[in-house]
Amino acid sequence: MTVSFPWPADAVVDAHLHVWDLSVSSYSWIPPGGPLHTTVTAERARAELTEAGIGSALLVQAEDSDRDTDFLLSQAAAHPWLAGVVGWVRLDEPRQARERLEELSAHTALRGVRHLVHDDPRADFLALPQVRTSLAALAEHGLPFDVPDAWPRHLAATVELADALPRLRIVLDHLGKPPDDPAEFAQWHAVVTELARRPNTVAKVSGLHAPGRPVTTEALRPVWDAALDAFGPDRLLYGGDWPMTLPHGGYQPMWRATAQLVAELSPGEQAAVLGGTARAVYRLGATDARERNE
């Protein structure tokens, strides 16, 4: 069922969308035989956004590899509705990271960098000196850094990173993956609130699907209220996290549940969550690397 909301399509940016091609990359984290173990095309993603009334999206890497990033950049070049790419560089090799960033600077679609910290065996990844050096280079290029699935292993480390590199814009994906357990939820809320005190941080309202958690407005409300309390609407970004929602009902149920919460805000606050903050953080209106760095 399609539900209409009062926002024009060109006002809304989905700040967290995936596409992948199993002939290009292995995506070893995808369980074989499941609904995600298939090539997900930009055309298929576009159909979901069109049904939701959303005009553009930001592609986000799904594998820590150059080939995945190159694939995403090729997709952005082929599809104008893709506003940009959050790719990957090897952060634990600073020289290699700098060389890759220089190479990627030719691609105006590159708008940020992410590393799958939750899949990395190093619990101290964000504190490694070589990673900090690479992230400082990222800041020099005017590119934000996305941190996915940070709870529980990397959320406190993200606070430390924000303090160590105040010029680096840090994007907390999926609100850090808040837990359902009440005691853990309270701990998550405390750390997220601490992170939000750092002005160089923002957070995505995305990836809130979880086994056993209903995809409804009321089920999402405690997390939404906590995020609003911590960051305020001007530092929150909407992300649909397609196709990760496939095992949880698909794109539309999560979009409707989230959009109903956003609709309770003032018009200016709605505009920030649904596109304004994404455009500012990822410099989506910029046309070249120099403009992105200003």
Side-chain angles (χ1 to χ4, degrees):
M1 177 180 67
T2 302
V3 177
S4 297
F5 290 98
W7 311 296
D10 61 1
V12 184
V13 178
D14 182 334
H16 202 95
L17 179 79
H18 301 292
V19 298
W20 55 66
D21 188 332
L22 296 184
S23 70
V24 172
S25 293
S26 61
Y27 310 104
S28 59
W29 56 269
I30 300 178
L36 300 177
H37 195 253
T38 184
T39 291
V40 179
T41 65
E43 291 80 7
R44 185 179 176 189
R46 177 62 165 164
E48 295 292 337
L49 295 186
T50 299
E51 182 176 347
I54 298 172
S56 62
L58 186 73
L59 281 181
V60 179
Q61 57 93 233
E63 180 181 79
D64 290 346
S65 70
D66 291 336
R67 64 193 175 200
D68 179 59
T69 296
D70 290 341
F71 169 69
L72 296 183
L73 290 169
S74 73
Q75 293 301 294
H79 301 281
W81 60 272
L82 291 171
V85 169
V86 176
W88 176 85
V89 299
R90 184 169 293 283
L91 297 173
D92 56 358
E93 294 287 348
R95 180 176 178 178
Q96 186 174 337
R98 282 187 176 275
E99 290 174 352
R100 179 65 168 160
L101 286 172
E102 288 298 325
E103 175 188 345
L104 292 174
S105 67
H107 296 271
T108 58
L110 185 73
R111 299 295 160 154
V113 166
R114 185 172 87 147
H115 181 88
L116 300 180
V117 293
H118 54 290
D119 287 339
D120 197 291
R122 295 165 289 186
D124 62 343
F125 180 83
L126 294 177
L128 295 174
Q130 60 269 37
V131 170
R132 295 277 178 91
T133 298
S134 297
L135 290 175
L138 206 65
E140 292 172 10
H141 282 262
L143 295 169
F145 178 54
D146 276 45
V147 180
D149 296 11
W151 180 263
R153 200 165 59 137
H154 295 286
L155 195 52
T158 304
V159 178
E160 296 172 0
L161 177 64
D163 284 336
L165 296 175
R167 292 184 57 213
L168 178 68
R169 179 60 65 92
I170 297 172
V171 183
L172 182 66
D173 289 354
H174 315 324
L175 295 175
K177 281 294 183 180
D180 285 326
D181 177 82
E184 284 197 32
F185 186 90
Q187 296 170 21
W188 163 85
H189 190 186
V191 183
V192 161
T193 300
E194 189 64 28
L195 177 67
R197 293 193 177 103
R198 279 66 184 169
N200 55 328
T201 64
V202 298
K204 287 182 185 177
V205 183
S206 61
L208 299 180
H209 47 80
R213 181 185 297 164
V215 183
T216 65
T217 298
E218 291 313 308
L220 296 181
R221 188 176 295 278
V223 175
W224 169 254
D225 288 346
L228 275 180
D229 179 60
F231 287 96
D234 290 341
R235 291 165 61 203
L236 294 176
L237 304 76
Y238 163 72
D241 200 24
W242 170 263
M244 299 302 296
T245 50
L246 278 174
H248 309 277
Y251 194 97
Q252 305 309 320
M254 185 61 74
W255 160 245
R256 291 194 298 267
T258 305
Q260 286 164 3
L261 291 167
V262 174
E264 297 172 1
L265 302 174
S266 71
E269 292 169 341
Q270 294 174 28
V273 175
L274 294 177
T277 303
R279 292 185 181 93
V281 169
Y282 293 105
R283 305 294 201 339
L284 297 183
T287 56
D288 58 35
R290 182 182 61 223
E291 187 177 353
R292 289 202 305 271
N293 291 344
E294 291 177 351

